[in-house]
């Protein structure tokens, strides 16, 4: 099974960029009108806007469970410095547990696998940019993998 939120990620990035440009243009208009207080307020709004986007940690996620392996590729959709591409790959038989957790409107996935040294837990993957249907598909597929191993 293959799942990707590429279209939704592009839409989120486009919306973020356009809204950011609008805020900057409004700030420049206030600067041209020499309204310093409005410029400072606009700069504050822009800083809060970027901060919230960073906190949300919206990620592009690619999931594939074919060929006896599970593969996750993901990176932040909105990143100020640089994109940190991450990948997780493991055999179906290694999956021990997974947990999809919803908190404050965001959804995160935690995966635990069996290694030679014991149980290892991967860093959390943010599924906040995925639709409920895509999250349900991933959950169902991981449940099937655990049942069939």
């Amino acid at each position: 099974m293959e799942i990707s939120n590429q279209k939704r990620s592009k839409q989120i990035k486009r919306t973020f960029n356009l809204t950011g440009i609008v805020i900057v243009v409004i700030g420049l208009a206030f600067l041209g009108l020499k309204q310093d207080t409005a410029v400072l307020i606009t700069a504050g709004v822009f800083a809060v806007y970027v901060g919230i986007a960073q906190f949300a940690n919206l990620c592009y996620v690619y999931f594939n469970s074919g060929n006896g392996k599970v593969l996750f590729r993901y990176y932040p959709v909105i990143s100020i410095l640089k994109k940190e591409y991450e990948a997780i790959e493991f055999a179906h038989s290694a999956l021990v547990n997974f947990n999809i957790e919803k908190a404050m409107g965001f959804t995160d996935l935690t995966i635990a696998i069996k290694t030679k040294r014991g149980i290892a837990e991967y860093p959390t993957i943010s599924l906040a940019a995925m639709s409920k249907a895509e999250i349900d598909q991933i959950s169902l597929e991981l449940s099937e993998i655990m049942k069939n191993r």
Side-chain angles (χ1 to χ4, degrees):
M1 172 180 277
E2 204 171 323
I3 300 168
S4 171
N5 67 340
Q6 185 176 14
K7 287 181 183 178
R8 191 168 180 165
S9 296
K10 285 181 181 179
Q11 189 177 31
I12 289 168
K13 183 150 183 111
R14 206 173 291 134
T15 303
F16 174 79
N17 289 339
L18 287 173
T19 305
I21 289 169
V22 167
I23 293 171
V24 169
V25 167
I26 290 170
L28 290 173
F30 285 136
L31 186 64
L33 296 172
K34 301 205 187 287
Q35 294 183 358
D36 296 336
T37 305
V39 171
L40 291 174
I41 291 170
T42 307
V45 167
F46 183 75
V48 168
Y49 177 69
V50 171
I52 289 172
Q54 288 296 116
F55 174 75
N57 192 28
L58 302 172
C59 288
Y60 159 77
V61 178
Y62 170 82
F63 169 79
N64 188 338
S65 63
N67 299 329
K69 291 186 177 182
V70 173
L71 171 65
F72 279 97
R73 289 190 185 126
Y74 60 99
Y75 64 85
V77 174
I78 300 165
S79 181
I80 300 302
L81 301 174
K82 67 174 187 162
K83 288 184 179 172
E84 301 244 355
Y85 294 89
E86 302 281 342
I88 294 174
E89 185 174 1
F90 56 89
H92 285 190
S93 59
L95 182 63
V96 173
N97 193 15
F98 73 95
N99 183 27
I100 295 180
E101 189 176 306
K102 295 178 183 178
M104 294 181 2
F106 301 112
T107 307
D108 293 328
L109 170 66
T110 306
I111 297 173
I113 64 164
K114 185 169 70 174
T115 67
K116 293 176 184 175
R117 295 184 178 177
I119 306 293
E121 203 170 272
Y122 280 107
T124 302
I125 302 170
S126 173
L127 303 180
M130 299 191 87
S131 69
K132 183 174 177 0
E134 290 169 332
I135 293 169
D136 290 344
Q137 285 179 324
I138 290 173
S139 178
L140 185 65
E141 184 66 18
L142 291 175
S143 294
E144 282 294 318
I145 290 169
M146 284 185 58
K147 191 177 0 174
N148 295 331
R149 56 182 171 96

